[in-house]
C-alpha cells in the first residue's frame, strides 16, 4: 500500500486574536508540512458558539495572511459542516457505539466527573450523546516529539461527549470527522491537546477512519507558568509587524536565529525558514518567558 501524501493542518478556534502560542503551532505545523513536501490546510474550529468571539475568525485569518501563512486549499469552517457530523453520529448511534445520556455535570460529580454508566436524576429536554468507552480501552500512540504515550481512556476519561446537551458538536467529534474527511496524515498542534489524542484515536477506530501521525509542540507559558491563551487575549500578534513575531516563533521552535537574518518580508523569511528547518532541534519542554529586566 502506498503512503498517502503528507497533509497537515492548523485549526484555531475563534476565541480571540492569535497570540505567539498560536503562531508557534501554525509555523511549526507549516514547517513540518513543507519539510515533508506536503500540503498545509487551515480549518476554523467554530463549533462552540458560546466561546466564539465576534470578528475573531476574520482577524485570525488576516493575521495568518500577514505572516505569509496561506492555506493550500479552501479554508474549512466547522460551523458549515453539520451534515458531516450528523452522519458520523448517526452511524455510531446505529451501531450502539454511541448513546443518549441525561446525566448533568452535577449528577457525575460523585464519580469525579467520569461517566461509566448513567446516573441521571432527571430527564433533560435534549440529552447529550456520548461514545461508549468499555473497560480495557487503553490507547497508545507514538508522538513525534514525546515518544510513546498511553492512556486508559475508560478509567481516566470514561464515556465522552460527542454532541453536547446544548445541541452543539463536541470538539472531539468535529476534529476527528474533519481530519478524516480532509485526509489529514499528520496532526501537529500544541501539547495542551495531548490528552485528547487517545479519545480521538478511539473515535477514529469507531468510525473506521485512519489514524494520522501526531506531534505535540511545546506550549508557550506565561509568567505564572500557564499556557498563553487566546481567550485571555494575552499578547495578541500585531499583523503589521510580522517579522519579529515569525523570528520569535522560529527561535521558540529551537531553530537557529542566524538563518533568518536579512529577510525583509514574510515570504522571504518563510523561504529561508523552510530551507533551514531542522526538526531534530524542536524542543520537548514547554517554553517559559524570558524574565523581564529589572
Ligand atoms: N481548535 C483547537 C484550538 O484552537 C485546536 C484543535 C486541533 O488542533 O486539533 O486549540
Amino acid at each position: 500500500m502506498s503512503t498517502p501524501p503528507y497533509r497537515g493542518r492548523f485549526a484555531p478556534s475563534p476565541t480571540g486574536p492569535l497570540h505567539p502560542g498560536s503562531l508557534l503551532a501554525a509555523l511549526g505545523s507549516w514547517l513540518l508540512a513543507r519539510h515533508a513536501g506536503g500540503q498545509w490546510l487551515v480549518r476554523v474550529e467554530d463549533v462552540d458558539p458560546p466561546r466564539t468571539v465576534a470578528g475573531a475568525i476574520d482577524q485570525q485569518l488576516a493575521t495568518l495572511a500577514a505572516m505569509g501563512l496561506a492555506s493550500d486549499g479552501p479554508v474549512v469552517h466547522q460551523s458549515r459542516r453539520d451534515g458531516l457530523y450528523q452522519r458520523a453520529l448517526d452511524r455510531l448511534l446505529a451501531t450502539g457505539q454511541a448513546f443518549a445520556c441525561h446525566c448533568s455535570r452535577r449528577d457525575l460529580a460523585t464519580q469525579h466527573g467520569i461517566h461509566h454508566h448513567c446516573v441521571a436524576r432527571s430527564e433533560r429536554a435534549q440529552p447529550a450523546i456520548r461514545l461508549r468507552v468499555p473497560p480495557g480501552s487503553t490507547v497508545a500512540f507514538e508522538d513525534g516529539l514525546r515518544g510513546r504515550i498511553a492512556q486508559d481512556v475508560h478509567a481516566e476519561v470514561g464515556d465522552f461527549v460527542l454532541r453536547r446537551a446544548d445541541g452543539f458538536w463536541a470538539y472531539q467529534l468535529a476534529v476527528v470527522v474533519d481530519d478524516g474527511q480532509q485526509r489529514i496524515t499528520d496532526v501537529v498542534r500544541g501539547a495542551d491537546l495531548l490528552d485528547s489524542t487517545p479519545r480521538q484515536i478511539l473515535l477514529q477506530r469507531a468510525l473506521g477512519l485512519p489514524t494520522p501521525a501526531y506531534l505535540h509542540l511545546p506550549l508557550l507559558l506565561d509568567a505564572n507558568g500557564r499556557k498563553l491563551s487566546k481567550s485571555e487575549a494575552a499578547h495578541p500578534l500585531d499583523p503589521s509587524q510580522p517579522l519579529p513575531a515569525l523570528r520569535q516563533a522560529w527561535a521558540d521552535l529551537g531553530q537557529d536565529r542566524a538563518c533568518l537574518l536579512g529577510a525583509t518580508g514574510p515570504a522571504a523569511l518563510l523561504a529561508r525558514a523552510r530551507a533551514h528547518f531542522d526538526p531534530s532541534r524542536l524542543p520537548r519542554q514547554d517554553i517559559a518567558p524570558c524574565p523581564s529586566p529589572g
Side-chain angles (χ1 to χ4, degrees):
M1 235 168 54
S2 66
T3 324
Y6 187 114
R7 276 161 79 85
R9 71 349 176 243
F10 174 58
S13 303
T15 51
L18 292 184
H19 58 77
S22 341
L23 185 60
L24 194 76
L27 183 63
S29 56
W30 185 88
L31 284 166
L32 282 156
R34 289 297 184 257
H35 190 72
Q39 290 192 312
W40 183 78
L41 303 170
V42 175
R43 180 167 76 222
V44 174
E45 299 214 318
D46 53 349
V47 274
D48 191 354
R51 289 186 62 230
T52 296
V53 169
I57 297 177
D58 291 345
Q59 194 182 16
Q60 290 185 346
L61 294 177
T63 302
L64 284 177
M67 302 286 157
L69 295 168
S71 178
D72 290 321
V75 174
V76 159
H77 293 248
Q78 289 190 326
S79 57
R80 302 177 194 161
R81 291 159 76 84
D82 283 349
L84 274 178
Y85 308 141
Q86 188 62 55
R87 278 196 292 283
L89 191 72
D90 288 346
R91 278 177 52 198
L92 295 169
L93 284 166
T95 55
Q97 290 164 287
F99 62 97
C101 168
H102 290 271
C103 297
S104 66
R105 218 168 266 181
R106 251 179 87 205
D107 295 329
L108 293 173
T110 52
Q111 315 187 53
H112 311 288
I114 294 178
H115 189 285
H116 284 150
H117 51 267
C118 282
V119 290
R121 282 171 291 188
S122 57
E123 291 246 314
R124 288 166 168 248
Q126 177 171 238
I129 308 289
R130 291 179 185 269
L131 186 79
R132 202 179 296 287
V133 182
S137 301
T138 294
V139 174
F141 69 99
E142 200 63 38
D143 182 83
L145 266 186
R146 291 159 197 255
R148 187 175 185 275
I149 307 276
Q151 187 184 56
D152 180 340
V153 186
H154 172 77
E156 292 179 37
V157 180
D159 305 322
F160 60 89
V161 172
L162 304 174
R163 198 185 64 202
R164 296 165 17 182
D166 60 11
F168 297 123
W169 300 108
Y171 156 68
Q172 309 292 357
L173 178 77
V175 81
V176 163
V177 170
D178 285 336
D179 284 340
Q181 194 274 337
Q182 294 188 280
R183 302 191 312 283
I184 298 300
T185 60
D186 290 75
V187 172
V188 176
R189 58 187 177 191
D192 52 324
L193 292 162
L194 198 55
D195 193 49
S196 286
T197 303
R199 260 172 281 178
Q200 294 176 16
I201 293 174
L202 268 188
L203 199 42
Q204 287 152 5
R205 291 178 187 165
L207 287 166
L209 293 169
T211 291
Y214 286 95
L215 186 152
H216 291 85
L217 293 167
L219 300 178
L220 277 192
L221 305 179
D222 65 16
N224 301 314
R226 287 179 317 213
K227 179 200 169 199
L228 279 190
S229 143
K230 292 195 285 288
S231 36
E232 289 157 23
H235 319 288
L237 293 168
D238 178 356
S240 71
Q241 297 286 335
L243 297 186
L246 284 166
R247 288 202 165 95
Q248 187 57 47
W250 171 255
D252 288 339
L253 288 167
Q255 309 297 308
D256 183 358
R257 279 182 187 269
C259 299
L260 305 187
L261 287 176
T264 51
L269 185 146
L270 290 175
R272 283 175 198 219
R274 181 179 174 164
H276 293 284
F277 176 59
D278 177 358
S280 71
R281 295 178 65 133
L282 288 171
R284 287 167 173 74
Q285 304 291 326
D286 289 341
I287 303 157
C290 296
S292 44

